[in-house]
Amino acid sequence: MNAPALLITGATGPLAEPVVRVLADRGHRLLLTGRNAEKLAELDQRYGSPGVIETFQVDAAQPDGAQQAAARAAERFDGLGGLVHLIGRFGFGPVMLTDIAVYDELIMSNFRSAVVATQAVLPHLTEGGRLVYFSTPLAVEPLAALSAYSAAKAALTTWVRSMAHEVKRRGIHANVVSMTIADTPKMRAERPGLDLDHTVDPALVARAVGFLTSPESDGLYGSVVPVLGKFSYSSVLAGGPPPGVGGPPPGAHTAAARPAAAAPAQAGAR
Ligand SMILES: NC(=O)c1ccc[n+]([C@@H]2O[C@H](COP(=O)([O-])OP(=O)(O)OC[C@H]3O[C@@H](n4cnc5c(N)ncnc54)[C@H](OP(=O)(O)O)[C@@H]3O)[C@@H](O)[C@H]2O)c1
């Protein structure tokens, strides 16, 4: 029997490919959506196979686009078994230097888009349906200059946990992956000071998605699953752990040299 067909929204970011590989290996049929035609064409060339893995250019953060995406997946695969909602956006800046439009965008992309996509997908789901979302430890332990992103992901996480109570009565599983910064070539290039000890391998995140879309996670409804690699908060005040405890000091493994004074916790969380 085929694994259930899944809609992957926001499939043009760096997490999408590892997720697609894991789910395709498990025999899921996949509809990959995004706004970026060029990136979708690349995905299509690499993974596309009619009736098995297809791409669809649409803005699934908007109600019309999400409805179109869900209907198309259900039509192409003769039913839809779940949603992997990758749409989201990062942003940082002190409150007084952050335009209100940035708040709107981060709430829209990280939280509202999940509501929109879920409303589109839920009518198609039956017993055993799967909904997977992506958050951050900042949603529960926010740091300075990350207020908009942290608040948007906190809204997402709380909303999923509430919604999960509603849909579990129909045997539908809604869960969240909470992850720190993914170690990707793009991230290394953008942030040469990135503390690699605190990042997470996207392939490991993808494996958690494989778990959350499979019967192995049948006991999980409304869970927030931390996939943080070896990330931990560390206190500058305490001077870090004693030598030999807890691995190398934060900052020992950076993508490039960086000033020793940089705050490790801010470097690792996202
Ligand atoms: N990568 C990390 O280190 C990390 C860490 C913690 C949590 N996460 C979360 O994991 C998920 C996937 O991560 P990622 O790095 O692959 O994400 P990403 O590259 O930042 O974006 C993922 C997708 O979201 C879409 N998107 C962003 N804003 C949108 C908007 N306003 N309307 C419609 N689509 C929009 C992007 O499309 P466009 O390219 O068209 O903008 C892309 O397809 C996200 O929710 C992210 O917040 C990622």
Side-chain angles (χ1 to χ4, degrees):
M1 201 179 89
N2 276 332
L6 301 172
L7 173 63
I8 305 191
T9 42
T12 58
L15 277 190
E17 285 208 50
V19 167
V20 168
R21 280 196 289 270
V22 164
L23 297 179
D25 284 352
R26 284 173 171 261
H28 291 276
R29 286 146 303 139
L30 305 173
L31 184 68
L32 316 178
T33 72
R35 302 183 295 188
N36 182 331
E38 205 179 315
K39 183 67 193 172
L40 285 176
E42 272 175 40
L43 289 169
D44 201 41
Q45 199 167 26
R46 239 171 264 160
Y47 305 101
S49 166
V52 183
I53 299 183
E54 299 189 358
T55 58
F56 182 39
Q57 188 189 359
V58 73
D59 186 351
Q62 298 303 326
D64 281 357
Q67 297 286 344
Q68 284 174 40
R72 185 170 176 119
E75 187 251 313
R76 293 296 297 160
F77 305 133
D78 203 18
L80 181 57
L83 165 72
V84 176
H85 187 69
L86 286 166
I87 293 178
R89 198 182 185 89
F90 182 64
F92 64 92
V95 171
M96 292 307 290
L97 296 178
T98 302
D99 195 279
I100 198 65
V102 174
Y103 279 85
D104 287 343
E105 170 58 21
L106 293 185
I107 295 279
M108 198 287 275
S109 53
N110 290 297
F111 168 51
R112 185 181 181 275
S113 74
V115 180
V116 161
T118 306
Q119 287 178 336
V121 164
L122 271 178
H124 296 278
L125 300 191
T126 52
E127 175 82 27
R130 305 277 159 176
L131 300 164
V132 182
Y133 307 86
F134 297 83
S135 189
T136 162
L138 294 166
V140 287
E141 197 55 62
L143 297 171
L146 289 159
S147 61
Y149 180 68
S150 305
K153 288 297 195 189
L156 168 72
T157 308
T158 304
W159 176 81
V160 174
R161 292 179 59 216
S162 172
M163 181 267 294
H165 287 302
E166 295 179 30
V167 301
K168 70 184 176 190
R169 299 287 158 223
R170 293 169 47 196
I172 295 168
H173 303 256
N175 294 296
V176 179
V177 171
S178 173
M179 56 178 289
T180 181
I181 291 182
D183 179 4
T184 63
K186 185 164 173 268
M187 191 61 79
R188 287 188 184 215
E190 281 174 5
R191 298 195 201 179
L194 189 64
D195 187 338
L196 299 177
D197 290 330
H198 292 266
T199 59
V200 66
D201 180 350
L204 297 180
V205 177
R207 273 157 60 178
V209 175
F211 167 69
L212 290 174
T213 50
S214 77
E216 275 98 74
S217 62
D218 272 354
L220 274 63
Y221 298 95
S223 299
V224 180
V225 178
V227 187
L228 305 179
K230 292 173 185 153
F231 167 78
S232 63
Y233 287 100
S234 67
S235 165
V236 176
L237 181 64
V245 176
H253 298 140
T254 54
R258 65 170 185 172
Q266 294 196 19
R270 178 174 156 179

